[in-house]
Amino acid sequence: MTRLTAAEVSESARAFLAAVSVAPDVLELRPDYRVLVMVAEGLEPGLPDEISDGLLARAEIRARIRLDGRVPEDVPEVADWRAAYRAFGAKPQRTRPSVEALLRRLGDGLPRIDRLTDAYNAVSIANLVPVGGEDLDKYKGPARLVRAAGDEDFDTVAHGASAIEHPEPGEVIWRDDTGVTCRQWNWRQCTRTRMTPATTNAVFIIDGLAALGDNGLTAAGTDLASSLICLSQQAAIASRLIAGVVAQTGQEARPQCARAMDASRAGAAPRATGSGLRSDTGELLVKRYFST
């Protein structure tokens, strides 16, 4: 059994994780907000394959069951995010929370993009949470969730060409030292840090609000770690939870991640778990993951 612990990620990845921050005025906007940030190194990228397709196909089934015939905005986890968007002046019917945008595409099945993007999209729809994945090596400084001044650069594509846009003043954005990495909390990622089929080191951001429940964010993180381990057996993964309240230390377990191809064919979701401490500052690296 290969033990993957926070200590095995690089020193630079640990420093990045430790420096992630959420501005106080964001928490004033939504005191129930918490975020699980995960770094993963040694990933095996590439075009969609049988394993990643299986992860996304099973997640589509789980998502349809959870929707139970409802439109996405009628699901409490999605409605919570629409309210959060309105709180800083966004119009969620025009710029939708990422999880809602994905759920609305379930009818014809989600597009297959690349094996890592498909994995985190699967976690998003199956757990009803916004999940973003970006290339860690493209970041300049740590990720920070802040209210925008309005002059920050956001590199994107408009009308088929590269473009620089700017967020609205007061908009909730993720940014680094260079500029905006994701607009409107989790609506649209920038071009510069986006994940590609060549990404081997990544950062994943999983957003949670009250409707997700006490254990929803942890479950989504476990789901993501499991998927990454089954796609990349030698990956090193560590995560950090930033929350507004202190929670109890969880119990550590050592489940097995089934051989990836067998899991894909059998339709069984691979598993990983860990132990850790949630703190109001989020200063600790909190997860230990295991694989066979």
Side-chain angles (χ1 to χ4, degrees):
M1 178 170 292
T2 301
R3 182 175 173 122
L4 305 175
T5 73
E8 291 175 351
V9 300
S10 69
E11 200 60 42
S12 62
R14 290 171 64 88
F16 177 91
L17 200 58
V20 175
S21 64
V22 177
D25 55 358
V26 174
L27 293 176
E28 289 173 5
L29 190 70
R30 287 299 301 229
D32 59 332
Y33 176 68
R34 65 263 196 216
V35 58
L36 183 68
V37 184
M38 182 178 293
V39 292
E41 295 180 304
L43 296 171
E44 298 176 23
L47 297 175
D49 58 18
E50 185 177 355
I51 303 171
S52 61
D53 181 73
L55 291 171
L56 197 47
R58 289 191 298 275
E60 288 169 339
I61 294 171
R62 289 174 60 187
R64 292 187 182 100
I65 292 172
R66 296 196 68 173
L67 285 176
D68 193 25
R70 296 171 293 179
V71 293
E73 59 263 38
D74 287 343
V75 177
E77 291 87 346
V78 175
D80 222 0
W81 276 107
R82 289 171 69 92
Y85 271 41
R86 293 189 190 98
F88 64 83
K91 297 179 179 179
Q93 68 273 20
R94 293 176 53 190
T95 56
R96 303 186 189 281
S98 64
V99 63
E100 179 182 352
L102 287 174
L103 290 171
R104 284 178 171 272
R105 305 182 74 174
L106 271 179
D108 297 324
L110 268 62
R112 273 49 175 172
I113 300 172
D114 63 70
R115 66 200 310 261
L116 300 179
T117 300
D118 293 350
Y120 79 73
N121 281 343
V123 171
S124 179
I125 61 171
N127 294 274
L128 303 182
V129 294
V131 182
E134 297 172 287
D135 194 315
L136 182 60
D137 296 331
K138 302 295 178 60
Y139 262 80
K140 303 300 181 183
R144 288 103 72 190
L145 186 67
V146 302
R147 304 288 298 274
D151 59 355
E152 299 91 345
D153 286 345
F154 175 72
D155 61 293
T156 186
V157 175
H159 309 294
S162 298
I164 298 294
E165 298 178 355
H166 305 283
E168 295 295 326
E171 181 180 323
V172 177
I173 59 169
W174 281 99
R175 66 160 302 163
D176 64 1
D177 292 346
T178 296
V180 181
T181 55
C182 188
R183 285 194 61 186
Q184 297 197 13
W185 222 317
N186 48 53
W187 167 56
R188 179 180 291 176
Q189 295 169 307
C190 76
T191 303
R192 173 172 54 91
T193 59
R194 68 183 177 185
M195 190 172 290
T196 73
T199 297
T200 57
N201 302 317
V203 55
F204 300 92
I205 295 173
I206 310 176
D207 294 314
L209 294 174
L212 188 62
D214 292 340
N215 300 316
L217 200 60
T218 302
T222 296
D223 197 1
L224 179 57
S226 301
S227 298
L228 295 176
I229 288 171
C230 285
L231 287 169
S232 309
Q233 291 287 303
Q234 301 305 312
I237 303 172
S239 66
R240 176 183 170 206
L241 180 64
I242 302 174
V245 296
V246 176
Q248 297 298 316
T249 303
Q251 296 297 314
E252 184 175 69
R254 289 173 174 256
Q256 292 187 344
C257 176
R259 190 166 66 90
M261 191 65 71
D262 288 345
S264 177
R265 289 171 177 165
R271 300 168 54 216
T273 192
S275 66
L277 176 69
R278 302 184 192 184
S279 75
D280 54 353
T281 61
E283 66 226 292
L284 299 179
L285 303 182
V286 299
K287 285 284 184 181
R288 294 183 178 185
Y289 300 102
F290 306 93
S291 74
T292 53

